[in-house]
Amino acid sequence: MSEIILNYLQALVDLTKDMAPYLLLGFLFAGLLKVFLPQNLMNKYLGKSNFNSVLNASLLGIPLPLCSCGVLPAGISLYNNGASKGSSVSFLISTPQTGVDSILVTWSMLGLPFALIRPVAALVTGLTGGLLTNRFEKNSTHKKKEKVAVEQTFKPKKTLKAVLDYAFIEMVADIAKWLVIGLLIAAFIAVAIPDNFFTDFKLTGLLGMLIILVVSIPLYVCATSSVPIAAVLLLKGLSPGTLLVFLMAGPATNAATMTVIANNFGKKTLFIYLAALISGSILFGLIIDYFLPVNWFAPILGMGEHHHSFLPEWLNISSAVLLTLLIAYYFVKNIFNKMNTSKSLDPQGFSIEVPSLEINVEGMTCEHCKNRVETGLKSMQNIGNAVANPETNRVKIFGKDLNLEQIGQKITDLGYIFGGKV
């Protein structure tokens, strides 16, 4: 038993060391993009129902480090501020599949071909979904809404501090929970599942892709945290093409995503969204398995045997330590925040031990969602504080003379589903 535990811990450490340097570098790039990418570009080039707007949406979305839940408010905000429905769908499909952080981690753990194919697949599926939406939703009316006050959260000050805060505080908060879960699952797979498991049970080819789709579509997994799981699955015999299906469908879909898209864009758009993603992932999976050289996708990650020797061991270790500290900081801070919530006072001086109103909000699945909802509500008049809980889909609001209709409209503008008063 002790040997199994030691093997598990060793696998966990090896995986963390392999991905930490690239993940930290990806976080830094994400901070630079967030702070210095002009936000007016998001609206200026996406407003028409044509090929160029759909292409622009995919190109803008691919490098952004937003997961399938974090991309929803951004995509819906684009739509509400004038982007065409096709452009918005293209953005929603392309963005969560990849990002600068996940591309670098993919390169480190799965090799350069996978790192190059992921953004190409994201671009093609985004284009397909956007163009199909424009084709079949031609007569749909687009109602422009006024920019919401919370949009200021997308315009941080252009300083080094803003870059570092977003890169190593907000980004870590967004993916910490799921990154840890991904690493724990990957280490378990590495120890518990025999080598060549998938080939021995013939879970490859089209059958394997369909099975992976059924499992991946309703579940939440972010683009970065899916990589260590994928790396181990490749070692265990899962075909590279089936692996790509997992890397595309897992990050781009989950139950909350589908609910929010159906509510904001309509069921027909949701069908197009899923059809483009499913058909695109299977197409690229089949191309990899049957038309590209097998040696491009040979497993490069070995437990204890590191292919990427150009990175010194001290850098791997120090990066892993820093990543661990950042994640630990997030969890400790989260615990203290929850402990102190019931003892604090809002800016207007009244106790927040008992909420003035509690509402249902669906579509929140991560820390980014939580922060966005809380910030948006606190920007409203008469609201002193708001505490969101993605796990229960509830938000406690503290204030006076609250207008439920206005609160519901704010939640909708933020890109989430208002479920009424609890």
Side-chain angles (χ1 to χ4, degrees):
M1 185 65 181
S2 60
E3 184 179 354
I4 294 176
I5 295 175
L6 288 175
N7 289 338
Y8 176 82
L9 293 176
Q10 184 63 52
L12 185 61
V13 170
D14 287 340
L15 286 166
T16 305
K17 284 164 55 181
D18 274 310
M19 72 182 299
Y22 299 89
L23 186 55
L24 293 175
L25 182 60
F27 283 165
L28 182 59
F29 276 130
L32 293 170
L33 281 173
K34 178 73 172 182
V35 173
F36 293 106
L37 181 67
Q39 290 301 312
N40 59 351
L41 289 178
M42 293 290 192
N43 299 321
K44 183 177 180 180
Y45 296 103
L46 310 180
K48 297 180 180 180
S49 297
N50 59 19
F51 177 84
N52 286 341
S53 289
V54 172
L55 176 62
N56 290 337
S58 280
L59 292 176
L60 284 171
I62 285 172
L64 296 181
L66 295 174
C67 56
S68 60
C69 56
V71 73
L72 288 174
I76 292 170
S77 176
L78 288 177
Y79 181 58
N80 289 340
N81 284 294
S84 66
K85 183 175 283 191
S87 299
S88 303
V89 170
S90 177
F91 182 84
L92 288 169
I93 292 175
S94 299
T95 306
Q97 292 185 51
T98 185
V100 288
D101 54 334
S102 63
I103 290 172
L104 288 170
V105 173
T106 301
W107 184 14
S108 72
M109 306 190 81
L110 295 173
L112 184 59
F114 258 121
L116 295 176
I117 287 175
R118 288 190 75 184
V120 171
L123 175 64
V124 172
T125 51
L127 278 173
T128 303
L131 293 174
L132 287 174
T133 299
N134 284 340
R135 171 67 178 83
F136 293 104
E137 295 272 43
K138 277 186 176 180
N139 297 323
S140 62
T141 57
H142 177 78
K143 298 179 180 179
K144 292 186 179 181
K145 298 181 181 180
E146 296 181 358
K147 292 183 179 181
V148 294
V150 77
E151 281 302 298
Q152 63 185 344
T153 60
F154 284 89
K155 300 178 181 178
K157 295 180 179 179
K158 295 181 179 181
T159 63
L160 177 61
K161 182 179 184 301
V163 172
L164 296 178
D165 281 347
Y166 182 78
F168 301 113
I169 302 297
E170 290 188 42
M171 274 293 296
V172 173
D174 280 351
I175 75 166
K177 174 182 174 182
W178 296 104
L179 179 62
V180 170
I181 291 174
L183 286 169
L184 292 174
I185 293 174
F188 174 79
I189 293 172
V191 174
I193 297 181
D195 292 340
N196 300 319
F197 172 84
F198 294 98
T199 52
D200 290 344
F201 284 89
K202 302 186 185 303
L203 298 178
T204 56
L206 184 59
L207 175 62
M209 294 176 194
L210 293 174
I211 293 174
I212 287 292
L213 276 173
V214 171
V215 174
S216 300
I217 285 177
L219 298 179
Y220 173 82
V221 57
C222 76
T224 302
S225 64
S226 65
V227 177
I229 299 174
V232 177
L233 290 175
L234 187 62
L235 283 170
K236 299 301 180 181
L238 192 68
S239 75
T242 307
L243 201 66
L244 183 69
V245 172
F246 168 70
L247 290 172
M248 291 175 67
T253 61
N254 63 62
T257 300
M258 292 184 285
T259 303
V260 173
I261 290 176
N263 182 71
N264 285 272
F265 294 94
K267 293 181 180 179
K268 183 186 290 187
T269 300
L270 174 61
F271 177 80
I272 294 172
Y273 175 94
L274 291 174
L277 189 61
I278 291 171
S279 60
S281 61
I282 291 179
L283 174 62
F284 275 93
L286 293 174
I287 289 174
I288 286 178
D289 278 352
Y290 295 103
F291 295 99
L292 296 181
V294 177
N295 61 330
W296 282 12
F297 307 99
I300 64 171
L301 174 68
M303 298 304 165
E305 297 179 5
H306 300 283
H307 178 80
H308 288 81
S309 57
F310 59 85
L311 285 182
E313 183 69 5
W314 66 264
L315 180 58
N316 285 325
I317 294 174
S318 58
S319 298
V321 170
L322 177 57
L323 179 63
T324 303
L325 290 175
L326 289 171
I327 292 174
Y329 172 76
Y330 157 73
F331 282 112
V332 171
K333 181 182 177 183
N334 204 33
I335 292 171
F336 274 100
N337 285 343
K338 289 180 178 179
M339 291 173 60
N340 293 330
T341 295
S342 62
K343 301 177 183 179
S344 60
L345 298 174
D346 80 344
Q348 299 175 8
F350 55 82
S351 172
I352 67 167
E353 291 182 2
V354 180
S356 305
L357 178 67
E358 188 170 3
I359 60 174
N360 281 310
V361 177
E362 296 187 16
M364 301 185 297
T365 56
C366 70
E367 194 69 17
H368 175 84
C369 301
K370 170 182 167 67
N371 292 336
R372 184 171 173 81
V373 169
E374 291 176 349
T375 303
L377 290 174
K378 285 187 286 189
S379 70
M380 297 180 68
Q381 189 175 5
N382 297 332
I383 293 182
N385 199 10
V387 180
N389 188 338
E391 295 180 1
T392 61
N393 291 324
R394 292 189 176 184
V395 180
K396 295 180 180 179
I397 302 174
F398 307 88
K400 57 185 179 181
D401 301 325
L402 301 177
N403 186 310
L404 187 62
E405 184 178 347
Q406 292 178 359
I407 290 172
Q409 184 60 53
K410 171 65 74 173
I411 294 298
T412 302
D413 288 342
L414 292 174
Y416 300 97
I417 298 175
F418 176 60
K421 183 178 178 182
V422 175

